[in-house]
Amino acid sequence: MKSLFTILLFCILLGHFNSFAQSTTGNITGKITMVDGQPLASASVTLIELNKNTLTDEQGNYTFNGVAPRTYHLKIQVLAAAEKDLLVKVVAGDTTIVNYQLPKENVQALQEVTIASSVNKFSKKESVYIARLPLKNLENPQVYNSVSKELIQEQMAVDLGSISKNVPGAGIPMIANQGRVTFRSRGFETEPNARNGVAGAAFSSIDPANIERVEAIKGPSATLFGTSVSSSYGGLYNRVTKKPYNGFGGEVAYLGGSWNFNRITWDVNTPVNADKTALFRLNGATSFEKSFQDLGFTNSVSLAPSFSYQITDKLSLLLDVEFGQGKGTSVVRFNPYIGSNKVQSIVDMQFPYNKTFMSNDLAYSTQMLNIFAQLNYKISEKWTSQTIISRARSTINGYITALNGRTDSTIRPQVIVGNTSFIATDLQQNFIGDFKLGTHRNRVVLGLDYYNNSNSFDRVTVNIADVNFIHTPATYRISRFKVDSLSSRGALRIENNGDNTYAVYVSDVFNITDRLLAMASLRVDRYQYKGVYNITTGVTAGGLGAGGIQAGPYGQTALSQKMGLVYEVMKDRVSLFGNYMNGFFNKSGVAADGGHFKPEHANQLEFGVKGDVIDHKLVGTVSYYDIRVQDVLRTDPNDANYSIQDGTQLSKGVEIDLTANPFPGLNIVAGYAYNDSKYTKADASVEGLRPALSGPSKIVNFWISYRLPAGDLQGLGLGFGGNSGNSSYQTNTKTAKVIIPAYTLLDASIFYDQPRYRIGFKVDNLTSEKAWSVRLTPQAPARFIGSMSLKF
């Protein structure tokens, strides 16, 4: 009883103490918004006299509790924006509300921010990565498309190929043997090799569980991104990862479907400290699926932890890790027999659609680790320092397969056995300024970039006996035992190679008037190829350069420029734009006269219109581009053992990208891409023709969904969409053509989305239409997927 009385007395005294404390202290709360009223997450708010700091949450809210009565200075700071000091008077027992809206010129922060909006949720275009500056879409003279996580979730996209369906001109993705995915962009092969704006290549499958959005940046973009990230003259794909936010929450989901598809994903976010300046988020997934074909499977697991820390009101740190491990069998890669004067379609070859010709014990395993660290420091109101370290590693072990045509009815299976490793390191230092010269605003980025690439190969290529693919024996099977027994007779590749790139770049966006902006950018790039070290012979050479000549280690210097103009016909609503951009790729080799080659270049001229009208309900871009590639290597007509560097290629076309929200609940995403590509000066066999593997010349994509915005069934929705492309080529020469037929792939979904849970069901390729990628990989027929997620 005495103990019980003591505890009771303590509780009473504690209650009186809390009441006394509450009556003698006060609270400060408020909301930070951008110029358009949208909430601004992750803004730094500091109570200067107490040296207390916090971050705004996803709704832009912040709170300081238990503050002693007096007048304080409240400092609001967003990187790349002018800081704001406000006087706040705290009264005992009261809550003081202090809201703040950023001024017009500071619409976007340098770091990623979360924008909560119910209007046109599929059109979140603002990005700090496209121009490496806080630049709005309507101010940017470059075209880019953005696929948001909301659209990814609604479409139940479980791989990057499904996400890319929403990018105009992407086409059917090409899946490489390690699960790596490649798209088309303006007639060129393009890979998702950028992550948060810097090099983040992964030579394996990339799980989308950690993706906030995918940005398709169009056109040659070497000026700001270099060749280490920009995978083609058509542009690059940037994977923006999910960042920690100020609050506790998360989601766990299960998806199951056709061909024993099973997938679990998780997303957990929490503040680490009481001030909520240290935040942690963990995303991850594990998947298993059998192939729709007779044999084949994939099995993967990914983990993506991220940590952010607002160290002071001027200094912030972001650490982001991406780890993936997988095992699977190679997809079908068919290289048909090419006879002279033959025009044929993959449909007419009678190549089996549902057969792999391999075995499940011929599997590969991959491991991928990407580390990204970014340190932002506010030097002054006008200048910010951004330091970035990115390191990407991919390893591949096991068996990689291909099917090479020998005659019109036979193939020779080929298996690569062994280990391949890729390591890339990217170090960047950017200084970002936002200041005025007179009355003219300047937004400037000055950057230093170091990129190191190191690759190693320890593998052997084995050729298996020919087999008839039309009348294949029922007992036919290529086993692991058979491949291993033949490996001693295969072609051996044991080598290391690598290169270093040193670059400096500068870009300035200059406001001539409030509506007229000019962009000027320049990059100087020094490339040093270290050569190929043959472990067997102990000799370092350049590998086979142009014409099969040993080029040896070499160095090249390249200049890349970017210029653009934007005129906002209707301020913050409609803008006209034009750009002139450059890209380049280093080329090795020696000409017949002993001279070395220079980098290959491409120049793009583009113009169009961007719009964001009817209170953000209609957002879109219409553009015309003309890309001219020069200094292309082609066979020397006087000596087939060498090359000459005078080849040219043309790629021009029109792109349309639209998202619309005509009325509450209805969302529309649509795109159209027309591309006219051809060799304008090349080897006689292909001159004047469309390059093979460039994809269809006309591609359409659309997605329409409706979700009940109110009522008893609020959150119930339907979605329907599709992708269509005309015929294209796997091979296209004047003597031989392999045609890939036109396709139309339709998808549909139904879902019920509630604050605490979500249920969905989707069918991909409703009509089970047969379609092929540019590598002649058959695409899956109708696939059913159901999902259930719990939110907390």
Side-chain angles (χ1 to χ4, degrees):
M1 289 294 293
K2 184 177 180 180
S3 299
L4 182 61
F5 177 78
T6 303
I7 295 173
L8 183 61
L9 180 61
F10 176 78
C11 292
I12 292 173
L13 292 175
L14 182 61
H16 281 293
F17 176 80
N18 287 336
S19 298
F20 175 77
Q22 291 174 2
S23 64
T24 58
T25 61
N27 305 317
I28 303 173
T29 187
K31 185 171 186 176
I32 311 300
T33 57
M34 299 198 297
V35 63
D36 58 359
Q38 298 294 338
L40 177 61
S42 300
S44 173
V45 184
T46 305
L47 210 51
I48 295 177
E49 285 76 6
L50 300 181
N51 196 27
K52 294 185 67 174
N53 178 263
T54 189
L55 296 174
T56 55
D57 62 18
E58 287 187 287
Q59 286 72 45
N61 299 317
Y62 70 92
T63 301
F64 292 103
N65 293 319
V67 181
R70 58 165 290 185
T71 299
Y72 295 91
H73 288 85
L74 189 74
K75 181 161 67 175
I76 299 170
Q77 190 158 23
V78 177
L79 293 176
E83 63 186 47
K84 183 68 175 180
D85 284 343
L86 301 172
L87 284 176
V88 181
K89 185 177 182 180
V90 177
V91 179
D94 288 345
T95 297
T96 303
I97 299 175
V98 182
N99 298 325
Y100 177 70
Q101 187 173 31
L102 266 70
K104 194 169 188 177
E105 65 267 20
N106 295 322
V107 183
Q108 179 74 27
L110 179 63
Q111 76 269 30
E112 274 292 283
V113 297
T114 302
I115 305 171
S117 173
S118 59
V119 178
N120 208 351
K121 59 183 179 179
F122 296 156
S123 185
K124 298 180 178 180
K125 298 285 287 187
E126 311 310 330
S127 172
V128 297
Y129 304 110
I130 310 300
R132 298 195 187 280
L133 288 169
L135 204 63
K136 293 183 296 183
N137 176 45
L138 292 179
E139 296 177 315
N140 196 328
Q142 186 167 9
V143 174
Y144 61 94
N145 315 118
S146 183
V147 184
S148 68
K149 65 178 180 182
E150 288 82 5
L151 183 55
I152 295 172
Q153 181 188 63
E154 185 170 289
Q155 293 183 346
M156 296 170 56
V158 295
D159 53 66
L160 282 180
S162 299
I163 294 173
S164 73
K165 291 179 180 180
N166 303 287
V167 176
I172 294 176
M174 185 195 80
I175 308 297
N177 289 321
Q178 308 86 16
R180 189 174 82 253
V181 64
T182 303
F183 315 108
R184 311 296 107 185
S185 183
R186 299 188 170 180
F188 300 93
E189 182 177 291
T190 308
E191 297 185 9
N193 280 344
R195 178 168 172 265
N196 294 326
V198 297
F203 292 87
S204 61
S205 176
I206 301 173
D207 197 290
N210 188 39
I211 290 180
E212 180 75 20
R213 67 179 180 275
V214 172
E215 297 172 342
I217 305 173
K218 297 302 184 73
S221 304
T223 307
L224 290 181
F225 295 96
T227 58
S228 58
V229 174
S230 181
S231 59
S232 81
Y233 298 132
L236 65 111
Y237 278 73
N238 181 40
R239 309 176 334 257
V240 179
T241 61
K242 295 177 180 178
K243 309 297 192 301
Y245 56 88
N246 187 342
F248 177 79
E251 183 174 338
V252 177
Y254 169 77
L255 300 91
S258 304
W259 310 302
N260 199 26
F261 177 71
N262 286 276
R263 176 175 171 83
I264 297 175
T265 66
W266 55 90
D267 179 359
V268 180
N269 186 92
T270 183
V272 176
N273 59 0
D275 292 333
K276 298 184 178 180
T277 54
L279 310 172
F280 177 77
R281 189 170 185 174
L282 177 64
N283 282 271
T286 180
S287 298
F288 175 84
E289 183 179 20
K290 291 183 177 179
S291 170
F292 72 91
Q293 296 172 304
D294 56 352
L295 291 168
F297 71 94
T298 58
N299 189 5
S300 65
V301 61
S302 68
L303 290 172
S306 57
F307 173 76
S308 70
Y309 184 31
Q310 190 75 31
I311 304 170
T312 70
D313 60 330
K314 292 186 176 183
L315 182 65
S316 68
L317 169 69
L318 173 65
L319 179 62
D320 190 294
V321 178
E322 189 176 45
F323 173 81
Q325 191 164 284
K327 185 176 183 179
T329 53
S330 297
V331 298
V332 168
R333 182 178 62 176
F334 177 42
N335 303 309
Y337 168 72
I338 306 299
S340 60
N341 299 315
K342 179 176 290 189
V343 177
Q344 53 188 336
S345 169
I346 179 63
V347 177
D348 301 326
M349 291 182 186
Q350 301 184 60
F351 186 84
Y353 199 82
N354 294 317
K355 191 173 182 61
T356 65
F357 293 93
M358 298 295 174
S359 305
N360 280 348
D361 61 354
L362 289 175
Y364 64 82
S365 61
T366 62
Q367 189 176 96
M368 176 264 292
L369 177 66
N370 287 340
I371 300 174
F372 174 90
Q374 177 175 307
L375 195 68
N376 291 337
Y377 179 70
K378 185 83 172 177
I379 301 173
S380 67
E381 286 193 7
K382 295 180 174 60
W383 288 96
T384 300
S385 168
Q386 181 189 73
T387 306
I388 298 174
I389 302 173
S390 176
R391 189 168 178 85
R393 175 180 63 83
S394 297
T395 59
I396 306 154
N397 286 287
Y399 303 81
I400 301 170
T401 64
L403 304 173
N404 299 319
R406 300 290 290 171
T407 69
D408 289 341
S409 60
T410 61
I411 54 174
R412 176 172 292 177
Q414 185 180 81
V415 183
I416 298 175
V417 188
N419 173 274
T420 308
S421 296
F422 305 91
I423 299 177
T425 304
D426 196 354
L427 306 178
Q428 277 188 15
Q429 174 59 52
N430 295 310
F431 296 98
I432 296 122
D434 190 344
F435 55 90
K436 287 187 177 181
L437 293 176
T439 59
H440 302 285
R441 184 184 183 191
N442 284 264
R443 278 164 286 184
V444 177
V445 57
L446 173 63
L448 303 171
D449 192 1
Y450 166 73
Y451 179 80
N452 170 263
N453 183 60
S454 178
N455 309 318
S456 65
F457 301 86
D458 180 8
R459 64 194 199 188
V460 61
T461 300
V462 177
N463 289 307
I464 312 299
D466 296 359
V467 63
N468 189 302
F469 62 77
I470 299 175
H471 303 290
T472 309
T475 57
Y476 181 83
R477 183 177 186 270
I478 301 176
S479 67
R480 181 174 177 175
F481 174 78
K482 179 183 292 187
V483 173
D484 290 346
S485 64
L486 295 173
S487 61
S488 61
R489 287 181 271 168
L492 185 64
R493 183 182 183 185
I494 307 179
E495 65 184 43
N496 296 323
N497 66 59
D499 53 73
N500 291 305
T501 300
Y502 310 86
V504 58
Y505 51 87
V506 61
S507 181
D508 182 19
V509 177
F510 181 78
N511 278 74
I512 302 173
T513 68
D514 186 45
R515 295 188 178 190
L516 180 61
L517 296 85
M519 172 185 282
S521 312
L522 180 67
R523 181 187 191 94
V524 181
D525 190 283
R526 179 61 182 175
Y527 176 79
Q528 292 288 158
Y529 183 61
K530 296 187 291 186
V532 176
Y533 174 69
N534 188 311
I535 296 175
T536 302
T537 63
V539 175
T540 299
L544 290 179
I549 304 301
Q550 292 283 342
Y554 67 96
Q556 290 178 344
T557 301
L559 294 176
S560 178
Q561 65 279 351
K562 175 181 178 181
M563 295 177 286
L565 280 175
V566 174
Y567 178 67
E568 295 190 60
V569 181
M570 299 174 61
K571 185 63 178 174
D572 298 324
R573 295 293 180 267
V574 179
S575 66
L576 302 176
F577 69 91
N579 67 61
Y580 176 79
M581 301 195 304
N582 175 269
F584 64 90
F585 282 100
N586 299 99
K587 294 295 178 179
S588 65
V590 180
D593 61 2
H596 290 271
F597 297 121
K598 58 185 177 181
E600 177 186 281
H601 279 84
N603 297 303
Q604 172 183 275
L605 181 65
E606 181 178 29
F607 56 86
V609 58
K610 294 183 179 183
D612 187 342
V613 297
I614 320 175
D615 193 25
H616 307 294
K617 292 181 180 179
L618 178 61
V619 179
T621 302
V622 180
S623 64
Y624 169 82
Y625 62 88
D626 186 305
I627 302 173
R628 297 177 183 267
V629 186
Q630 61 189 35
D631 301 321
V632 179
L633 297 180
R634 66 186 184 99
T635 303
D636 189 334
N638 300 316
D639 189 340
N641 294 316
Y642 292 89
S643 291
I644 56 176
Q645 195 172 26
D646 66 349
T648 58
Q649 182 181 337
L650 173 66
S651 175
K652 59 183 179 179
V654 175
E655 288 183 344
I656 302 173
D657 178 28
L658 297 173
T659 61
N661 177 222
F663 52 84
L666 179 64
N667 285 278
I668 301 171
V669 176
Y672 172 76
Y674 168 73
N675 173 258
D676 177 18
S677 289
K678 61 181 177 181
Y679 293 112
T680 48
K681 189 174 184 181
D683 294 335
S685 61
V686 297
E687 185 165 352
L689 299 180
R690 182 175 180 84
L693 310 183
S694 58
S697 61
K698 300 175 184 177
I699 297 178
V700 175
N701 67 278
F702 72 94
W703 179 260
I704 303 173
S705 65
Y706 179 71
R707 177 192 306 237
L708 292 174
D712 295 338
L713 295 178
Q714 180 180 357
L716 179 65
L718 299 170
F720 178 76
N723 296 77
S724 179
N726 63 346
S727 61
S728 57
Y729 298 98
Q730 188 268 348
T731 299
N732 188 23
T733 70
K734 291 182 178 178
T735 59
K737 300 181 188 296
V738 175
I739 300 172
I740 303 172
Y743 63 88
T744 298
L745 304 174
L746 301 175
D747 308 326
S749 70
I750 182 172
F751 54 87
Y752 186 51
D753 198 352
Q754 294 296 298
R756 292 297 181 184
Y757 64 92
R758 188 180 192 277
I759 301 173
F761 181 76
K762 186 186 180 186
V763 183
D764 290 319
N765 193 4
L766 274 167
T767 61
S768 289
E769 175 151 344
K770 290 186 177 181
W772 291 261
S773 73
V774 293
R775 263 193 174 182
L776 299 184
T777 302
Q779 303 300 292
R783 178 172 75 165
F784 301 84
I785 296 179
S787 72
M788 173 176 284
S789 60
L790 301 177
K791 311 172 189 178
F792 53 89

